[in-house]
Amino acid sequence: MTNTIDAKVLAKMFLAGAKNLESKKEWINDLNVFPVPDGDTGTNMTLTIMSAAKEVAAMENPDMRSLCKAISSGSLRGARGNSGVILSQLFRGFTKSIRDREELNVPVFAEALDRAVETAYKAVMKPKEGTILTVAKGAAAKARELANEGCGDLEVFFREVIACADEVLERTPEMLPVLKQAGVVDSGGQGLMQVLKGAYDAFLGKEIDFTLTEEAPKAAGSGADAKAQSKADVDIKYGYCTEFIILLSRNFNIKHEMDFKEYLESIGDSIVVVTDEDVVKVHVHTNDPGLAIQRALRYGALSNMKIDNMRLEHQEKLFRQEEKNQERAAEATPPKAAPMEHKGVGFIAVSAGDGINEIFKGLGVDYIIEGGQTMNPSTEDMLNAIDQVNADTVFILPNNKNIILAANQAQMMVKDKKIVVIPTKTVPQGITAIINYVPDMSVEENEETMKQEITSVKTGQVTYAVRDTMIDDKEIKQGDYMGIGDKGILSVGSEVLEVAFQMVKEMMEDGLELISIYYGEEITEEMAGELKERIGKEFTACDIELQYGGQPIYYYIISAE
C-alpha cells in the first residue's frame, strides 16, 4: 500500500500523462463534433501539456515548488484553444494547492483537485456541462468522497477516481445533445482522461518511454504529421524508404493533399507530405515505390528521388528528422515586427490569408498573429505579439471562439500594459470591431461600443467535411461542402457555389443591409463574382461587397449585418 508520493514520482506521473495524451491526440481530434479540417482538440491539448513537459523533463532532482512552477508556467504559456487553456487552468489550480507540500496523500490530492476545478471554472465565462469541466468536476467529487471515507491507499484512490471520471465522460452525450447526435463523447474530456490514465500507469510502475517528441504547431496546409518508427532494426513491414519532391504543375490544395496521403497510407506507412508553395516533399515506406511515384506524377514533375532498401540499410529517419529540425527552428524564432513609435492604443488581430491580413492592416492593426482555424495561437504567441506593440493599451481581436480564452489568459499575465480582449469569434466580427473604434473616445467607451457592435454581425463559412456524420438533422458525407453559421450547419451539398448561396439564404433576416463576401485561396475571382451576382439577385435591398481573403480551408467567409 502506498500512502504518499514525492515530487520525483509526481514528475514521472506528469510526463507519462503527457506522453499518453500525445499518443492519442489524433484519436481525440477525430472526436470533434463538426467534421471540419480544423478539428484539433487533441493537438491543442498536446501542445499545451508538452510545453510544460519539456520544462519538467529538463529537471534532474525537482522539489515540489520548482516542479509546480514548471507545470503551471509551462502549460499557461503554451496553452492553445479552449481545451488547452482549460487544461492549463486545471494544472494551475492543482499546483497552487500542492506547491508547499513535500509529500502528497489522499486528502491533499482531493483538496488539489477541488482547487483545480474551481480555477478552471472561473476561467470560462459561461461554463458548459458535458465538457472537460464536467469530467474534471466528477473526478474531484469522487476524490473528496474517498478522502472523507478515510481512504489512504493512493492506488485505490487513483483507480476509483479515474473509473468515476470515465463514467462521467460516457454520460457527456446525455448532457450535450450535439454529442449524442454525432455519436461521440466530449473530446476535451477524453483528452483529460488520457492524461490521468497515463499518470496512473507511471504510478503503478509500468515501463514508459519518457522521451519527448518536439512537435511544432501544424500550419495551415501543412501535412507533416507522421508517426516516427522508434527502432531502425525492428521487423520491417514495408521494405523501401521512398523520398522525392513534386514540382507542382497543377493545383494541390488541402483536399488533394488529404487524398494523396490517404492513397500513400493504403500502400505504406511513415507518411510525410509537406507542402511549401509550389513544391511538395514526400516520404513513405512502401513495398512498391513505383505506385507512390505514379500517383505523384499526377501533380507534377519529380526531383530529388531517393529509394533505400531498409532491410539492408537503416537510414529511414533522416528525411523526417530534417523536416522536424526545420520546423523547430522556424517555431523557435518568433516573427519580428518593425520597430514602432510609442502610442496610446495599439491593435493585434489573429488572421489567416493574405487578403484578410491586408484588410486588417489597412484598418490600423499593428500586429497580425498568423493562425486561426487550423493553428490556434498559444498564450505565449499572444504575449510575444503584445511585446511587439509599443502602446499603453492593446486591443486583441482573436477572431475565433477557440482563441478567446488564450487571449484572456495573456491579458491576465501582462502587468505593464492595459490589455483589452474584444471577444470576436469570426473575422467579420473582428473587422466590424476595429471599424467601430473611435480615437476620440475613451478605452472603456470603445470597448463597450466594439463589444456591442459585433453582436449584430452574422457569419457563415464554407468548408468541406473530413468524415461522414449526422449534425443538426443533416446527413453529411466525407468530401461534402458545408455552410457553417454562428450556431450550426446551415447547408450541405456537393457544389460549393450552391452550398454558399443556401447558407446565405439561411443567414438572412429582416433588417440586414450589408453582405460581405471574402473568398479563399482556392476560389477564383470569377467564381466569387458568380456567387455575388446570384446573391444580389436574391437580396436586392442589400449592398454586397466582394473582397479577396486568401484564407485556407474555408472557401468563403460571408457576413451579413
Side-chain angles (χ1 to χ4, degrees), residues 408-462:
N408 289 340
Q409 192 151 276
Q411 178 187 44
M412 292 187 295
M413 297 172 71
V414 174
K415 305 301 181 185
D416 60 338
K417 299 177 183 178
K418 180 178 177 61
I419 307 301
V420 180
V421 178
I422 306 299
T424 52
K425 297 179 180 179
T426 64
V427 165
Q429 284 190 352
I431 292 172
T432 294
I434 195 166
I435 285 175
N436 281 278
Y437 174 78
V438 180
D440 292 338
M441 291 169 51
S442 69
V443 170
E444 292 72 22
E445 289 171 327
N446 271 302
E447 179 180 5
E448 182 179 354
T449 299
M450 294 162 81
K451 286 182 175 180
Q452 179 60 39
E453 290 298 324
I454 65 175
T455 62
S456 65
V457 181
K458 299 173 70 69
T459 305
Q461 304 178 89
V462 178

Side-chain angles (χ1 to χ4, degrees), residues 177-368:
V178 67
L179 294 175
K180 187 172 186 178
Q181 192 174 34
V184 296
V185 297
D186 178 67
S187 54
Q190 185 65 270
L192 177 61
M193 291 309 306
Q194 299 316 307
V195 175
L196 297 178
K197 290 177 179 179
Y200 182 51
D201 283 345
F203 172 80
L204 294 177
K206 293 184 180 180
E207 187 174 343
I208 296 168
D209 177 10
F210 289 103
T211 304
L212 300 181
T213 59
E214 294 191 42
E215 177 184 350
K218 200 187 305 181
S222 172
D225 192 33
K227 294 181 179 179
Q229 182 177 321
S230 60
K231 294 183 181 179
D233 56 353
V234 296
D235 182 26
I236 297 171
K237 182 178 180 181
Y238 296 104
Y240 294 94
C241 175
T242 306
E243 304 170 4
F244 52 82
I245 291 176
I246 308 174
L247 306 175
L248 294 175
S249 59
R250 57 160 291 183
N251 187 28
F252 190 77
N253 58 37
I254 193 165
K255 195 168 188 299
H256 294 141
E257 181 177 315
M258 289 180 60
D259 292 341
F260 183 49
K261 287 180 69 177
E262 184 176 351
Y263 175 76
L264 293 179
E265 287 168 356
S266 73
I267 64 168
D269 65 8
S270 294
I271 314 298
V272 176
V273 178
V274 180
T275 305
D276 183 13
E277 295 184 352
D278 56 353
V279 170
V280 180
K281 298 179 182 180
V282 180
H283 174 278
V284 59
H285 295 171
T286 179
N287 285 328
D288 194 338
L291 293 176
I293 290 169
Q294 288 174 24
R295 179 58 64 100
L297 285 169
R298 296 183 181 185
Y299 303 106
L302 305 186
S303 71
N304 293 39
M305 297 180 65
K306 181 172 176 284
I307 300 174
D308 288 331
N309 186 329
M310 294 189 297
R311 294 186 176 97
L312 299 175
E313 301 176 26
H314 303 298
Q315 301 174 352
E316 74 274 15
K317 288 186 177 180
L318 297 178
F319 178 90
R320 184 168 59 253
Q321 190 61 49
E322 180 183 357
E323 290 297 331
K324 287 183 178 179
N325 289 340
Q326 292 173 355
E327 290 174 3
R328 286 202 299 268
E331 286 298 321
T333 306
K336 294 182 179 179
M340 57 178 287
E341 294 182 4
H342 180 269
K343 57 184 186 176
V345 175
F347 292 90
I348 294 170
V350 180
S351 173
D354 295 342
I356 292 174
N357 291 350
E358 289 305 314
I359 291 171
F360 276 121
K361 290 176 183 177
L363 292 171
V365 169
D366 300 285
Y367 193 97
I368 300 290

Side-chain angles (χ1 to χ4, degrees), residues 473-484:
D473 297 322
K474 293 180 174 64
E475 184 177 2
I476 302 169
K477 298 293 185 182
Q478 181 179 352
D480 279 351
Y481 296 104
M482 301 181 297
I484 305 174

